[in-house]
Amino acid sequence: MHRAAGAFGGLRINSRLLIPVPFADPADDYTVLIGDWYTKSHKDLAGLLDAGRNIGNPAGVLLNGLTGKDNAPLFTMEAGKTYRYRICNVGLKVSLNFRIQSHLMKLVEMDGSHTVQNDYESLDIHVGQCFSVLVAANQEAKDYYMVASTRFTKYSLSATGIIRYAGSVVPPSPELPKAPVGWAWSLNQWRSFRWNLTASAARPNPQGSFHYGGINITRTIRLASSVGLVDGKRRFALNGVSHVDSPTPPKLAEYYGIADKVFKYDSISDDPPATEAPITVAPNVLNATFRDYIEIILENPERSIQCYHLDGYSFFAVGMGHGKWTPAGRRTYNLQDAVSRHTIQVYPRSWSAIMLTFDNAGLWSLRSEMWERHYLGQQLYVSVVSPARSLRDEYNMPDDALLCGDVASLPKPPPYV
């Protein structure tokens, strides 16, 4: 629950100097952390969840830790120059819309991938997502508001922050730019996001040199969320199983060869249950074959938006649609320039489709970014084991790694070679 207590910050990763970036160096680089905020302590929030209750609505929205009331300027721009803003939604549950008075934002990057550079008046940023935009200081030299406001909620909360043009003594206009309405607008904005196929990413070769749309799908996994009561307490689940951590961490159990004593693999099938059944509480671990190319469908039958993150990978967010997914939905997939990213939203009563090659050996969390859902079981682990036990695929466990549970007194397994 540390995030609820304010334990978050920005970690900025720049491209290596030998990797060309598809835009000129900005005059400065600013980090903007936006998110919902609760006045209850993190212990009180955890207590609510442990009692099977939800954490309710946030008390407000923060922008770099502030609500924006009578604050000094957060950033300064000089007229005629261009600045990079890295904007992340670090909240617990609410999607936010971000915009800057009288300025367009040129989207250049999201979740570590360079994008086609379109201009936007505002951007929907869902929980756990990060966008980079370029902002040209091409307006009258005065102060301007940044605005972050709630989306897809019956209530309206917002925060502001001031950008000051150097030398300005003119306060910002009190008339804030309005937020968009409805999730259809948001879906259409998502469809406008495209991978920049000619730009380099972490490697010198262009992003578009990986032709993901031509790879044969070896497995399709459909994951549907659900909510219900277990022993009178609220739980969230994927395909009917609500994850709970085992006393021995699953990765340690795998590494030491005692996984069968700690958890059961594949406690869910690759499709949601055909009929509604009681939720089962258990460690939720899926087996994935090393280097298989897998399609994952995230289905949201509920009336609220959801957002998912996958550790250890970037995936191609190829499609979204309303209702339940069917194979016919593949006809709408973007198989050319979908953005490679690690967090994706699923709109109410809709589905989102992602594709990726599971070529990173390890045990990786696929989880809801909505904190109460994550905390109460809406997550699973994907086990990806390299049969070679080779250092090419995975490092040995560090000598100073902490051990607990059933492996605390076991001898170390043979090292990878």
Side-chain angles (χ1 to χ4, degrees), residues 330-408:
R330 293 189 180 119
R331 293 198 293 265
T332 68
Y333 284 2
N334 176 0
L335 299 179
Q336 300 294 326
D337 55 0
V339 179
S340 175
R341 57 191 309 186
H342 52 72
T343 309
I344 191 65
Q345 71 272 19
V346 190
Y347 291 101
R349 293 174 175 168
S350 300
W351 55 266
S352 294
I354 64 175
M355 293 179 174
L356 70 153
T357 301
F358 278 94
D359 56 0
N360 187 11
L363 193 77
W364 305 107
S365 169
L366 173 64
R367 61 181 179 270
S368 171
E369 283 289 88
M370 276 62 176
W371 198 252
E372 59 189 353
R373 290 177 173 272
H374 175 192
Y375 191 94
L376 295 178
Q378 193 170 317
Q379 62 169 319
L380 56 79
Y381 284 90
V382 182
S383 173
V384 185
V385 177
S386 167
R389 287 187 61 85
S390 169
L391 289 173
R392 175 199 63 193
D393 303 323
E394 189 173 10
Y395 289 130
N396 290 307
M397 189 172 73
D399 292 334
D400 58 355
L402 297 176
L403 301 179
C404 60
D406 293 337
V407 306

Side-chain angles (χ1 to χ4, degrees), residues 131-417:
F131 291 6
S132 283
V133 300
L134 297 179
V135 177
N138 56 9
Q139 300 297 309
E140 177 188 350
K142 52 178 283 189
D143 292 358
Y144 295 89
Y145 277 125
M146 298 175 288
V147 186
S149 60
T150 51
R151 290 281 276 137
F152 319 114
T153 57
K154 294 180 180 179
Y155 53 87
S156 179
L157 299 171
S158 65
T160 59
I162 294 175
I163 299 173
R164 171 164 291 173
Y165 275 58
S168 166
V169 293
V170 181
S173 166
E175 186 175 344
L176 300 180
K178 293 182 179 180
V181 177
W183 65 267
W185 181 96
S186 187
L187 175 59
N188 287 331
Q189 182 177 82
W190 173 83
R191 286 174 173 154
S192 74
F193 299 153
R194 291 289 187 267
W195 213 24
N196 187 333
L197 299 182
T198 61
S200 298
R203 296 169 296 279
N205 52 305
Q207 292 179 151
S209 61
F210 184 74
H211 301 289
Y212 67 92
I215 304 174
N216 291 328
I217 298 170
T218 54
R219 181 181 177 188
T220 296
I221 302 172
R222 289 174 56 213
L223 299 173
S225 65
S226 60
V227 57
L229 297 179
V230 178
D231 297 330
K233 295 183 179 181
R234 178 190 299 259
R235 297 291 301 187
F236 294 95
L238 290 171
N239 285 10
V241 173
S242 182
H243 174 81
V244 62
D245 290 328
S246 53
T248 303
K251 179 57 183 174
L252 286 181
E254 273 195 343
Y255 190 77
Y256 278 79
I258 62 165
D260 58 330
K261 298 179 180 178
V262 175
F263 62 88
K264 177 185 176 183
Y265 286 108
D266 299 324
S267 56
I268 61 173
S269 68
D270 285 358
D271 291 291
T275 57
E276 189 172 343
I279 289 175
T280 300
V281 178
N284 198 353
V285 182
L286 277 181
N287 255 324
T289 302
F290 187 55
R291 292 181 176 163
D292 266 8
Y293 190 65
I294 296 179
E295 172 189 44
I296 300 177
I297 313 299
L298 301 165
E299 295 187 355
N300 177 12
E302 301 174 51
R303 291 181 294 177
S304 59
I305 192 169
Q306 299 196 38
C307 201
Y308 288 88
H309 170 81
L310 176 62
D311 277 347
Y313 290 92
S314 288
F315 49 72
F316 294 97
V318 294
M320 291 183 182
H322 191 57
K324 286 188 176 182
W325 180 88
T326 67
R330 293 189 180 119
R331 293 198 293 265
T332 68
Y333 284 2
N334 176 0
L335 299 179
Q336 300 294 326
D337 55 0
V339 179
S340 175
R341 57 191 309 186
H342 52 72
T343 309
I344 191 65
Q345 71 272 19
V346 190
Y347 291 101
R349 293 174 175 168
S350 300
W351 55 266
S352 294
I354 64 175
M355 293 179 174
L356 70 153
T357 301
F358 278 94
D359 56 0
N360 187 11
L363 193 77
W364 305 107
S365 169
L366 173 64
R367 61 181 179 270
S368 171
E369 283 289 88
M370 276 62 176
W371 198 252
E372 59 189 353
R373 290 177 173 272
H374 175 192
Y375 191 94
L376 295 178
Q378 193 170 317
Q379 62 169 319
L380 56 79
Y381 284 90
V382 182
S383 173
V384 185
V385 177
S386 167
R389 287 187 61 85
S390 169
L391 289 173
R392 175 199 63 193
D393 303 323
E394 189 173 10
Y395 289 130
N396 290 307
M397 189 172 73
D399 292 334
D400 58 355
L402 297 176
L403 301 179
C404 60
D406 293 337
V407 306
S409 59
L410 296 180
K412 268 195 172 179
Y416 296 155
V417 296

